Amino acid sequence: MAIIDTEAALHEAHRDNHSHRDVNGGWLRPAVFGAMDGLVSNLALMTGVAGGQVSQQTIVITGLAGLAAGAFSMAAGEYTSVASQRELVQAELDVERRELRKHPVDEMEELAALYVSRGVEPELAREVATQLSRDPELALEIHAREELGIDPDDLPSPLVAAVSSFGSFALGALLPVLPYLLGATALWPAVALALLGLFACGALVAKVTARSWWFSGLRQLALGGAAAGVTYVLGTLFGIAVG
């Protein structure tokens, strides 16, 4: 009884420790990319304008316009991109579905050969392929996984990608504008808050990757700071040239 209880506990622990996070839901990449892009692009846009020695009102309007334009652009781009990818996958699935209907034996042999190439005994590979091919939908799913590397039941959603991208970009782009909206009269509070946000975003991303939080945070901080610095210098030069 003790041995059985121990084995059950080990099995339970393995199941708990072996669960995986959702890596194909279609929300993480646009959310992360949107937040980073919103922070960096709007910070760079505002510092570039500020370098031209314009009024505080102009900087705020520029930041708000950059927020709105960028958020809608990101959402539209993500929706179109993910929808196009999904339509391409659906087209390939239709091709595979026709092949399974017209040439079921050839497709079964193809699946068996694939298992043999991965080390399964030929007789067992043929038996597995035969059983899997009895259900057309299951056969389609197996062929899609093996040949296309996709799961037909777990395709990314264009709407989820668009909403995630819109919200995260708007949130990121808001940070450089927020100090001005709260009464700041200088550029440095906006830069400081935006750089802090970049570090926080980088550190947060590290929670779902293999990178350390400080490395990921410092990397985003360095990239965002470099972009802001370059655009400020360019804005200053353009302001001098125009003036």
Side-chain angles (χ1 to χ4, degrees):
M1 179 65 68
I3 296 177
I4 295 177
D5 291 341
T6 301
E7 291 180 349
L10 290 174
H11 175 72
E12 187 73 18
H14 172 75
R15 186 185 67 182
D16 293 340
N17 294 329
H18 200 66
S19 60
H20 295 283
R21 292 166 293 202
D22 178 19
V23 297
N24 196 37
W27 64 270
L28 180 60
R29 183 188 65 84
V32 171
F33 181 67
M36 297 296 183
D37 192 26
L39 270 166
V40 175
S41 64
N42 221 29
L43 174 62
L45 179 63
M46 292 174 63
T47 53
V49 172
Q53 303 301 316
V54 299
S55 67
Q56 176 183 332
Q57 183 182 18
T58 301
I59 297 175
V60 174
I61 292 174
T62 300
L64 292 175
L67 185 158
F72 282 108
S73 176
M74 286 287 294
E78 281 294 337
Y79 186 91
T80 303
S81 174
V82 176
S84 299
Q85 178 187 5
R86 189 183 181 95
E87 290 163 2
L88 174 61
V89 170
Q90 293 291 356
E92 291 300 314
L93 289 175
D94 288 340
V95 171
E96 191 64 34
R97 189 177 286 108
R98 287 195 299 270
E99 289 299 312
L100 285 168
R101 186 173 61 253
K102 293 180 179 179
H103 309 287
V105 176
D106 292 337
E107 290 294 315
M108 185 182 66
E109 293 291 340
E110 182 180 312
L111 190 60
L114 178 63
Y115 289 141
V116 170
S117 70
R118 294 185 176 180
V120 180
E121 293 292 333
E123 184 176 348
L124 178 59
R126 178 181 291 274
E127 178 62 25
V128 171
T130 300
Q131 292 187 24
L132 292 175
S133 299
R134 291 172 182 170
D135 184 346
E137 288 303 315
L138 178 60
L140 176 64
E141 181 180 339
I142 298 298
H143 279 272
R145 289 177 184 272
E146 299 293 346
E147 297 179 26
L148 303 176
I150 59 173
D151 183 351
D153 297 325
D154 192 26
L155 299 180
S157 167
L159 183 59
V160 169
V163 171
S164 299
S165 182
F166 181 92
S168 58
F169 185 98
L171 182 61
L174 178 63
L175 286 185
V177 189
L178 191 59
Y180 283 104
L181 298 179
L182 295 178
T185 58
L187 179 64
W188 71 264
V191 174
L193 183 59
L195 293 181
L196 180 62
L198 280 170
F199 182 85
C201 283
L204 183 62
V205 169
K207 294 294 184 180
V208 293
T209 65
R211 289 289 188 181
S212 60
W213 65 270
W214 59 266
F215 176 86
S216 183
L218 288 177
R219 178 175 60 183
Q220 297 304 326
L221 177 64
L223 292 173
V230 169
T231 53
Y232 183 83
V233 172
L234 291 175
T236 302
L237 295 176
F238 292 154
I240 295 174
V242 173

